[in-house]
Amino acid sequence: MPPTLTLKSGTAWADAWQRCLTVAPEAFRDDRVLNLWNAAWQADGRALPAVSPVDGTPVAGPPRLDRATARQAVRAALDQHRAWRHVPLPERRARVAATLDALAEHRDLLALLLVWEIGKPWRLARADVDRAVDGVRWYVDGIDAMLDGRTPLDGPVSNIASWNYPMSVLVHALLVQALAGNAVVAKTPTDGGVACLTLATALAAREGIPVTLVSGSGGELSEALVRAPEIGCVSFVGGRDTGAAVATAVADLGKRHILEQEGLNTWGVWNFSDWDTLSATVPKLFDYGKQRCTAYPRFVVQRGLFDAFLAAYLPAVRTLRIGHPLAVEHPDAPYPALDFGPVINAAKAKELHDQVAEAIDRGAVPLHRGTPADARFLPGQDTSAYVQPVTLLNPPRSSPLHHAEPFGPVDTIVLVDTEAELLAAMNASNGALVATLSTDERATFDRLAPHIRAFKIGHGVPRSRGDRDELFGGFGASWRGAFVGGDLLVRAVTRGPAGERLPGNFPDHQLVPRPT
């Protein structure tokens, strides 16, 4: 029998919350977090109840503002912007650097909040914090050249981001935008991360960074955060449905925008034989339960290689480690080494279970299904947000799993017989952020890769969003507006010479740099 597990000492939500109250008492109350606007922490908004996906523990919910208050917050952010844009670059750099030092000092608390709020395993939660800090330091070191001949925007940058990477995507973006001379506005994700973002924002605000942090529904706050004339740029990370509404609004207003949207990232296998390498890669593709914009949920496999593919894939997927991210054999044991914990909430878990069941009912073939008996849980804990890994062959075209990103640990496999079928299957979602083609011959990769509609394409290796000087964007419906990464992120939130055409997907032009 496996040992009975217990919660690691000092990692309970109550422990994390008490540490927040001690570190940033200005931003936390006994029972709620605060909004930050007009350079002051505000006890406004209606705090909604929330639970952790990890085990159903009650956690801090977002204090949702109404539309009128959000408009006040944006007007106040414009006042901050007009002052901050004239702060000399050396001072801006010093304040951002001091913020990074503070984030690094409280790295483990930020990571623990990510574990409880969005279910990240400890290793990945710490990596999220580290990528934010290390990534912004790269900009601090090189910002002079990036800002040569450029000026801040006319108004603050509004940030609306998904819940899965609060630090390495959202906080990273906020600090680079501020370093470039802009005040910044951020909406906390509805589904999680509010305490982590509140703590990070409090540390930045102490150093004089002009940041506004508000909570609320997208429909209620979109007029202020997207359409308000004070906003100089809208930066959005999320799904296509919400992104399409934002894209329509910014296009109508002619507003600077960065809209990163989902796509079905695919991994093709054609004339390939290095199965040991593929087998070693498969578990890594399940990091954080594939709840990443650069996850690979679809394999497109040459039919004649299907038996060899399964011989490499199935043993690898059976090694995945799933469970409560803080459950250990004894209280002082190290954090468990997991590939993923829960999905973001019980509703998402049910959605995935229903989609899998419907796909099988309509003809998909289940090749692998993990069981709860293989997972690490505390005795009697709530497991309603957990989804065991599933692999389906040939999902029906009527299923969302055929054409959309599941955002969970569900793999689908499609078999093809010709190169034309391979490319059509890899381009099923009208554009993607990343793709990979595993093929033995470099000439074959060089011939086929230009026809794959993804911004980054790996030859037998996964691609990611990237850090530092690595560019990032998307093709088709997966991206609208300016591309980011490296100096492109700075160019996206500053003004250059008259008539400048930014790299990106815009209503009037598409300019695509060559990603590295």
Side-chain angles (χ1 to χ4, degrees), residues 31-88:
D31 60 346
R32 61 175 291 171
V33 299
L34 306 183
N35 290 298
L36 174 63
W37 60 273
N38 196 25
W41 291 97
Q42 315 276 356
D44 51 13
R46 180 169 60 93
L48 296 183
V51 298
S52 168
V54 169
D55 60 8
T57 294
V59 297
R64 295 167 63 127
L65 295 182
D66 58 28
R67 186 174 307 176
T69 308
R71 287 285 293 120
Q72 293 180 52
V74 168
R75 283 194 290 268
L78 178 61
D79 293 337
Q80 289 181 296
H81 180 82
R82 287 171 172 166
W84 179 252
R85 63 179 303 181
H86 297 295
V87 172

Side-chain angles (χ1 to χ4, degrees), residues 184-208:
V184 292
V185 180
K187 186 181 93 65
T188 61
T190 303
D191 289 320
V194 61
C196 178
L197 284 170
T198 300
L199 178 58
T201 301
L203 299 175
R206 285 181 182 176
E207 303 301 336

Side-chain angles (χ1 to χ4, degrees), residues 171-253:
V171 171
H172 177 280
L174 296 176
L175 293 177
V176 175
Q177 292 160 8
L179 181 63
N182 303 289
V184 292
V185 180
K187 186 181 93 65
T188 61
T190 303
D191 289 320
V194 61
C196 178
L197 284 170
T198 300
L199 178 58
T201 301
L203 299 175
R206 285 181 182 176
E207 303 301 336
I209 304 297
V211 57
T212 295
L213 184 69
V214 296
S215 294
S217 70
E220 186 77 7
L221 302 192
S222 63
E223 180 180 345
L225 301 183
V226 176
R227 294 182 173 273
E230 294 90 346
I231 296 297
C233 176
V234 176
S235 177
F236 170 87
V237 180
R240 288 193 179 184
D241 291 343
T242 304
V246 175
T248 299
V250 295
D252 290 345
L253 297 168

Side-chain angles (χ1 to χ4, degrees), residues 202-466:
L203 299 175
R206 285 181 182 176
E207 303 301 336
I209 304 297
V211 57
T212 295
L213 184 69
V214 296
S215 294
S217 70
E220 186 77 7
L221 302 192
S222 63
E223 180 180 345
L225 301 183
V226 176
R227 294 182 173 273
E230 294 90 346
I231 296 297
C233 176
V234 176
S235 177
F236 170 87
V237 180
R240 288 193 179 184
D241 291 343
T242 304
V246 175
T248 299
V250 295
D252 290 345
L253 297 168
K255 195 182 292 290
R256 184 74 65 90
H257 56 285
I258 307 162
L259 309 182
E260 175 188 329
Q261 300 170 128
E262 63 190 13
L264 184 61
N265 306 314
T266 58
W267 192 299
V269 179
W270 187 263
N271 291 345
F272 177 71
S273 61
D274 188 4
W275 301 111
D276 288 343
T277 296
L278 180 65
S279 185
T281 302
V282 166
K284 301 173 186 176
L285 302 181
F286 277 87
D287 270 358
Y288 194 34
K290 302 209 172 193
Q291 297 178 101
R292 299 178 288 119
C293 64
T294 54
Y296 288 84
R298 166 68 50 80
F299 287 92
V300 181
V301 181
Q302 188 176 6
R303 191 181 304 273
L305 298 179
F306 185 48
D307 57 340
F309 173 84
L310 283 185
Y313 175 89
L314 289 176
V317 79
R318 290 174 183 140
T319 67
L320 293 173
R321 301 155 300 178
I322 303 101
H324 191 305
L326 303 172
V328 292
E329 284 74 14
H330 56 85
D332 296 323
Y335 289 91
L338 301 176
D339 294 292
F340 61 93
V343 296
I344 187 57
N345 52 44
K348 179 62 180 180
K350 183 180 185 304
E351 175 188 287
L352 289 169
H353 288 309
D354 290 348
Q355 288 179 352
V356 168
E358 181 182 50
I360 293 172
D361 186 60
R362 295 182 180 181
V365 179
L367 299 176
H368 172 75
R369 281 188 277 196
T371 66
D374 301 326
R376 295 169 52 94
F377 294 131
L378 297 176
Q381 78 161 77
D382 183 336
T383 61
S384 59
Y386 288 79
V387 177
Q388 303 304 313
V390 178
T391 306
L392 302 179
L393 174 66
N394 289 337
R397 292 183 177 274
S398 59
S399 168
L401 297 176
H402 178 80
H403 56 77
E405 182 180 11
F407 232 64
V410 179
D411 271 353
T412 56
I413 301 172
V414 173
L415 302 182
V416 294
D417 296 297
T418 67
E419 290 183 357
E421 290 178 312
L422 172 81
L423 294 172
M426 292 189 71
N427 293 329
S429 68
N430 183 26
L433 304 175
V434 298
T436 291
L437 179 60
S438 287
T439 185
D440 288 345
E441 295 185 359
R442 181 72 200 196
T444 301
F445 176 82
D446 291 341
R447 177 167 49 82
L448 296 178
H451 302 285
I452 299 172
R453 296 282 291 163
F455 187 78
K456 292 182 180 180
I457 304 171
H459 184 191
V461 296
R463 299 304 306 269
S464 68
R465 202 175 196 276

